[in-house]
């Protein structure tokens, strides 16, 4: 914030010998010298010189006394703060982050709307220490007042949601309405919550990925030890263990595959695919590939697609992956319904833009509403045991969401427990050529 006046480090800023008093002293010295010279040269009688000096002294000192009388701390208490200038108020109010201006006792002079929303207990003319009640903030404020150096502290709010803020207290000399400067504290808050969340997500992701890889790895090394030791000469045990090892190795390969796909899609998230692709053969190819699984789970897959091509701007490989995940999930988790419908329709989004919707509907157990918002989080599963038993990695729907984001589309999930689930991939429809 740029304010006219001395910098916080300049001695004049917080001098105990106010400017006005210094000016008065200089005036009196010059007047005394001039009157002395006149008296010595017999041009002025001493009592007249004394009377003139008294008048000059009164003229120089009375305004300063008046000024200092209105700027005492008691007056700040009564609300007549000399810093309450409209310009200072406007600057504080115009800051986008929460900002509070405090006097040297820590009392609130100005606060903007963002600060009032962040800490509703902060009130004008009341001590900020009472509103913020954090020992760290109180210490930082005390130190900033004592040292005139900026201080930092953290502010953690739990209500209504967890929020982490960094608080910076900077001593600033603010010009007063009567000239001179008043030492104030500018308290600014910076929201660290998004950074903190990203950091937490990164740590969770690494922990989850390591855990998911370590479990099959531990099984593999256990079986290798058994095959080298106790089961060395047991052909039946060897056959059985090799089968389990094959499954575990497949699980690790799928996980690494999904992780690589996710990172590839994320890397190119900002580049929208520009190839023109027909969705119909892609969906047929995925359904054909999953026919063995459908047969194994005794699920009838009904495909309801138009006869004519339906083109969008897309990436063929990513779209194959997307439909594979949705249809495979319906076959795995909705198998008990015995039926899966894959359909394609044209529709209009909430914003009024035309879009193409590919719907995968199953008639299985469905998903409880509390899980719906979290299904596209990495490694989130409704039932971890069930997902693992089905060979799931917990990354499928996260990949689906990222692929749709890259295609500037969206995923809709609807489910009624005991009555199946519907996953709808919505793609923006290409605009018809001009004049068509
Ligand atoms: P996974 O590899 O576990 O299948 P996904 O990200 O594809 O991971 O799915 C996340 C979770 O969502 C699954 O573990 C499952 O609990 C739930 N889920 C996904 N699709 C369905 C569905 N059609 N019916 C019921 N639950 C589903």
């Amino acid at each position: 914030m740029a304010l006219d006046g001395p910098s916080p480090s300049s001695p004049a800023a917080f001098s105990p010998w106010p400017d006005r008093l210094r000016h008065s002293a200089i005036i009196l010295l010059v007047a005394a010298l001039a009157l002395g010279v006149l008296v010595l040269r017999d041009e002025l009688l001493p009592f007249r010189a004394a009377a003139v000096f008294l008048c000059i002294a009164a003229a120089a000192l009375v305004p300063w006394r008046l000024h200092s009388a209105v700027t005492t701390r008691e007056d700040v208490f009564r609300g007549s703060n000399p810093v309450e200038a409209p310009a200072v108020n406007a600057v504080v109010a115009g800051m986008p982050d929460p900002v509070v201006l405090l006097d040297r006792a820590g009392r609130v002079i100005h606060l903007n709307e963002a600060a009032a929303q962040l800490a509703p207990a902060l009130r004008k003319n009341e001590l900020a220490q009472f509103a913020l009640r954090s020992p760290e903030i109180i210490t930082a404020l005390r130190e900033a007042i004592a040292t005139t150096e900026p201080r930092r502290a953290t502010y953690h709010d739990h209500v209504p949601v967890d929020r982490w803020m960094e608080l910076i207290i900077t001593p600033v000399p603010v010009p007063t309405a009567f000239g001179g400067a008043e030492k104030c504290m500018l308290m600014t808050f910076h929201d660290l919550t998004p950074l903190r969340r990203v950091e937490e997500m990164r740590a969770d992701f690494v922990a989850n990925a390591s855990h998911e890889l370590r479990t099959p790895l531990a099984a593999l090394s256990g079986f290798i030890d058994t095959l080298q030791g106790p089961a060395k000469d047991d052909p039946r045990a060897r056959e059985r263990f090799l089968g389990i090892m094959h499954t575990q190795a497949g699980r690790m390969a799928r996980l690494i595959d999904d992780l690589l796909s996710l990172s590839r899609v994320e890397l190119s998230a900002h580049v929208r695919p520009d190839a023109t692709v027909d969705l119909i053969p892609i969906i047929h190819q995925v359904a054909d590939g999953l026919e063995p699984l459908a047969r194994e789970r005794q699920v009838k897959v009904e495909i309801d697609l138009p006869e004519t091509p339906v083109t969008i701007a897309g990436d063929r490989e990513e779209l194959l992956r997307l439909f594979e995940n949705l249809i495979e999930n319906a076959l795995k988790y909705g198998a008990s319904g015995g039926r899966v419908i894959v359909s394609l329709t044209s529709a209009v989004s909430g914003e009024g833009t035309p879009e193409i919707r590919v719907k995968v509907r199953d008639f299985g157990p469905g998903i409880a509403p509390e899980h719906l918002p979290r299904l596209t989080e990495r490694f989130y599963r409704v039932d971890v045991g069930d997902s693992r038993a089905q060979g799931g990695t917990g990354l499928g729907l996260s990949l689906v969401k990222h692929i749709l984001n890259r295609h500037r589309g969206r995923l809709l999930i609807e489910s009624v427990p005991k009555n199946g689930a519907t996953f709808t991939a919505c793609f923006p429809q290409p605009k018809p050529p001009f004049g068509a």
Side-chain angles (χ1 to χ4, degrees):
M1 182 169 73
L3 282 170
D4 288 331
S7 73
S9 53
S10 92
F14 307 130
S15 162
W17 186 244
D19 285 349
R20 281 181 173 244
L21 189 55
R22 223 180 8 237
H23 294 159
S24 304
I26 293 168
I27 292 168
L28 291 180
L29 195 67
V30 172
L33 279 173
L35 292 169
V37 170
L38 291 174
V39 170
L40 284 178
R41 293 174 65 184
D42 282 340
E43 286 178 35
L44 191 66
L45 291 173
F47 77 89
R48 284 194 180 156
V52 170
F53 182 78
L54 275 178
C55 289
I56 294 173
L61 288 173
V62 168
W64 176 76
R65 273 309 305 156
L66 283 176
H67 164 69
S68 72
V70 286
T71 58
T72 54
R73 201 90 63 76
E74 289 69 30
D75 280 344
V76 174
F77 247 136
R78 289 199 293 269
S80 59
N81 195 313
V83 174
E84 279 188 355
V88 179
N89 196 5
V91 170
V92 172
M95 306 276 261
D97 283 337
V99 176
V100 185
L101 187 70
L102 309 170
D103 69 9
R104 71 183 93 186
R107 209 167 282 116
V108 177
I109 304 172
H110 294 300
L111 78 162
N112 63 5
E113 187 55 37
Q117 273 181 15
L118 175 74
L122 279 172
R123 302 248 158 69
K124 259 185 141 182
N125 296 324
E126 286 183 14
L127 290 171
Q129 294 92 312
F130 290 157
L132 298 171
R133 283 168 187 247
S134 141
E136 198 187 336
I137 296 176
I138 294 170
T139 310
L141 198 56
R142 215 176 276 148
E143 284 180 8
I145 292 168
T147 62
T148 70
E149 301 264 329
R151 283 286 180 272
R152 286 164 190 267
T154 45
Y155 176 66
H156 186 190
D157 196 8
H158 301 277
V159 183
V161 284
D162 269 344
R163 276 207 296 187
W164 289 267
M165 311 288 279
E166 185 188 35
L167 195 150
I168 303 173
I169 303 164
T170 317
V172 284
V174 180
T176 66
F178 311 102
E182 180 81 11
K183 178 185 174 181
C184 296
M185 302 290 141
L186 191 68
M187 196 158 75
T188 45
F189 295 77
H190 300 284
D191 195 352
L192 300 182
T193 316
L195 276 178
R196 190 106 179 202
R197 292 225 190 292
V198 169
E199 183 50 34
E200 274 176 7
M201 276 167 67
R202 193 195 60 78
D204 281 357
F205 177 70
V206 172
N208 278 326
S210 322
H211 176 75
E212 292 294 328
L213 280 170
R214 200 172 293 135
T215 313
L217 195 62
L220 278 178
S221 22
F223 284 121
I224 290 169
D225 285 348
T226 316
L227 286 175
Q228 283 176 332
K232 200 170 176 184
D233 302 315
D234 182 345
R236 279 182 58 202
R238 193 168 56 218
E239 268 318 292
R240 200 161 67 82
F241 293 161
L242 283 173
I244 301 171
M245 287 166 77
H246 186 258
T247 310
Q248 297 299 334
R251 188 173 147 198
M252 285 175 78
R254 260 194 315 280
L255 184 66
I256 291 167
D257 233 31
D258 279 357
L259 284 172
L260 287 175
S261 303
L262 250 180
S263 113
R264 256 197 307 270
V265 176
E266 268 184 323
L267 274 179
S268 53
H270 57 288
V271 192
R272 192 177 172 179
D274 55 4
T276 303
V277 289
D278 181 2
L279 288 176
I280 309 296
I282 292 178
I283 299 170
H284 276 302
Q285 183 180 336
V286 172
D288 293 348
L290 288 170
E291 218 181 276
L293 179 66
R295 225 176 301 124
E296 183 198 313
R297 303 285 162 108
Q298 299 178 343
V299 178
K300 187 172 181 300
V301 180
E302 297 167 25
I303 309 280
D304 180 12
L305 301 176
E307 305 271 295
T308 49
V310 177
T311 55
I312 61 162
D315 180 306
R316 195 172 178 280
E317 288 307 312
E318 287 181 9
L319 292 169
L320 280 168
R321 207 67 203 261
L322 185 158
F323 296 125
E324 190 180 64
N325 269 304
L326 291 184
I327 302 174
E328 196 179 321
N329 275 354
L331 294 173
K332 285 189 319 194
Y333 303 109
S336 58
R339 191 176 158 216
V340 167
I341 305 172
V342 182
S343 58
L344 186 150
T345 50
S346 285
V348 176
S349 76
E351 285 98 51
T353 47
E355 58 184 20
I356 287 161
R357 292 184 179 175
V358 180
K359 213 177 256 194
V360 180
R361 160 115 172 83
D362 69 66
F363 297 84
I367 306 159
E370 66 269 22
H371 296 293
L372 296 182
R374 300 197 59 191
L375 283 184
T376 54
E377 281 176 27
R378 288 160 200 214
F379 297 112
Y380 189 83
R381 288 112 147 189
V382 175
D383 179 339
V384 178
D386 185 24
S387 160
R388 290 218 177 112
Q390 308 271 13
T393 60
L395 294 172
L397 290 177
S398 176
L399 190 58
V400 165
K401 188 184 85 174
H402 279 87
I403 294 174
L404 277 168
N405 283 351
R406 194 176 164 228
H407 286 74
R408 307 296 182 257
R410 62 208 173 97
L411 178 68
L412 303 178
I413 310 175
E414 295 153 281
S415 182
V416 177
K418 298 201 176 73
N419 196 18
T422 305
F423 289 77
T424 310
C426 308
F427 301 92
Q429 203 159 24
K431 289 193 178 68
F434 186 70

